[in-house]
Amino acid sequence: MAQYSAVIGAGTMGLGIAYVLAAAGDTAILVEPDAGRGAEAIGTLTGVAQSAVKRGKLEETAAKELIERISVVDAVEALPTEGANLVVEAVPERIELKKALLPAIEKHCAPAILASNTSGLSIDELATVLERPERFVGLHFFNPVWVMSLLEIVKGAQTDPAVLEAARALAIRIGKDPIVVKNMPGFATSRLGVAIGLEGMRMLEEGVASAADIDKAMELGYRHPMGPLRLTDLVGLDVRLDIARNLSKDLGPRFNPPQILIDKVAAGELGKKSGKGFYDWTE
Ligand code: 3HC
């Protein structure tokens, strides 16, 4: 029986997760119901692999084989009924959407380890819809997934220690450096990272400095590889808005999304992926 790993959702993160799984030798199947997005997935990932070849990080043949290990289907039910080792859910950061999807994934792919790439939603709340919450864990990846070394593993109250160990082993196998965190809103990473991002937006609203100078302040003054506004463009303004809304529910008004973020998302300015965010990415 052929073994495989599945990733639900071919957005920015889902694509990246499928890429690193395939790079580690897994057969990686992406589930993407949006036909347009599904059709673009392999082309986008081929571009990533080609870029790795150009940078001397990957041999041409290995790049070809990596891409051949990735396929796309349009529904969970289209995944092979047997052989799933790991399924990572990477759909948008809305708890109701994730809760609606998880039971069908669990049913179809049992006994695979089931993971959520959530940036900060409660693993324990997501687990309430599952029959085997002990097989569920948070696996929070970072963008660009093929570059960023961190894997934030989130331990739910019911996560089996053996599943946690398997998550750690997976991180090492795919070349990531893991941390294990308690299931608290925003975990270790989003709580801090989003706080800086939202403050940067409020500073822009207040006219403290231009977007480029706010970013430069953190790049040169604090050695961040990328300032908070450019990083928000990379992550996606829609993604950050969802995370901020979730965190403001759990941690209070300091995480309320700034108006500039709400307005830009409403205008379709989602950052790099849409061509415009706090910066123009069309060139
Ligand atoms: N395959 C393999 N390696 C690649 C690659 C590819 N396709 N593309 C780039 N790389 C490697 C490069 O070779 C280089 O490696 P080296 O250090 O060994 O030489 C490294 O990645 C950096 O690449 P570049 O030199 O081309 O690019 P920059 O130096 O401009 O860095 C960046 C780009 C890595 C994006 C950097 O600006 C950065 O780290 N930014 C911050 C990213 C960040 O904070 N991400 C987290 C966002 S939050 C998140 O994702 C959480 C979620 O919940 C929203």
Side-chain angles (χ1 to χ4, degrees):
M1 175 190 24
Q3 306 284 299
Y4 69 92
S5 298
V7 182
I8 316 298
T12 306
M13 297 307 289
L15 288 176
I17 298 165
Y19 182 93
V20 295
L21 289 170
D26 289 11
T27 295
I29 311 180
L30 271 161
V31 177
E32 176 52 64
D34 181 305
R37 193 178 268 194
E40 281 171 12
I42 300 295
T44 305
L45 293 174
T46 303
V48 175
Q50 283 312 318
S51 158
V53 171
K54 269 194 215 118
R55 290 163 186 273
K57 304 259 172 188
L58 202 59
E59 297 289 334
E60 188 78 55
T61 321
K64 192 169 165 284
E65 287 167 1
L66 186 166
I67 296 301
E68 282 169 0
R69 284 194 288 275
I70 305 176
S71 57
V72 186
V73 297
D74 63 0
V76 170
E77 291 68 30
L79 288 169
T81 45
E82 286 183 26
N85 288 322
L86 168 74
V87 184
V88 186
E89 162 286 299
V91 303
E93 228 14 36
R94 318 236 168 88
I95 197 136
E96 293 315 324
L97 174 63
K98 291 183 190 280
K99 279 167 117 176
L101 276 169
L102 285 170
I105 302 170
E106 179 184 49
K107 194 159 172 249
H108 191 84
C109 300
I113 290 178
L114 185 49
S116 174
N117 176 53
T118 179
S119 302
L121 292 170
S122 169
I123 290 298
D124 292 338
E125 186 174 347
L126 291 173
T128 58
V129 299
L130 297 173
E131 280 176 18
R132 286 172 299 272
E134 67 280 4
R135 304 285 297 160
F136 187 56
V137 66
L139 287 183
H140 185 202
F141 289 84
F142 295 83
N143 180 14
V145 184
W146 43 87
V147 174
M148 303 294 287
S149 58
L150 182 65
L151 181 61
E152 185 172 46
I153 301 174
V154 187
K155 182 184 175 308
Q158 300 182 75
T159 306
D160 185 334
V163 169
L164 200 62
E165 268 326 295
R168 261 194 242 260
L170 169 87
I172 306 301
R173 186 170 68 80
I174 64 176
K176 301 293 176 204
D177 203 341
I179 57 171
V180 177
V181 302
K182 196 171 152 188
N183 179 42
M184 294 287 284
F187 315 135
T189 51
S190 300
R191 187 161 164 181
L192 272 177
V194 173
I196 295 175
L198 298 181
E199 204 54 33
M201 291 173 215
R202 283 191 272 269
M203 287 162 62
L204 183 66
E205 277 178 335
E206 290 165 18
V208 172
S210 65
D213 280 355
I214 290 170
D215 280 343
K216 201 169 171 183
M218 295 313 281
E219 287 158 12
L220 302 187
Y222 284 74
R223 281 206 174 202
H224 286 198
M226 188 180 260
L229 300 171
R230 201 181 301 279
L231 181 59
T232 301
D233 273 8
L234 176 73
V235 167
L237 275 69
D238 51 338
V239 175
R240 283 232 142 149
L241 178 58
D242 282 338
I243 302 173
R245 284 185 168 141
N246 293 329
L247 289 180
S248 73
K249 266 187 233 140
D250 291 328
L251 296 174
R254 68 187 191 275
F255 282 99
N256 284 355
Q259 195 59 43
I260 191 171
L261 179 62
I262 297 170
D263 292 347
K264 280 185 173 291
V265 171
E269 294 178 20
L270 307 182
K272 192 174 178 185
K273 64 188 170 192
S274 75
K276 194 163 192 280
F278 293 103
Y279 294 87
D280 188 344
W281 294 86
T282 47
E283 280 170 23

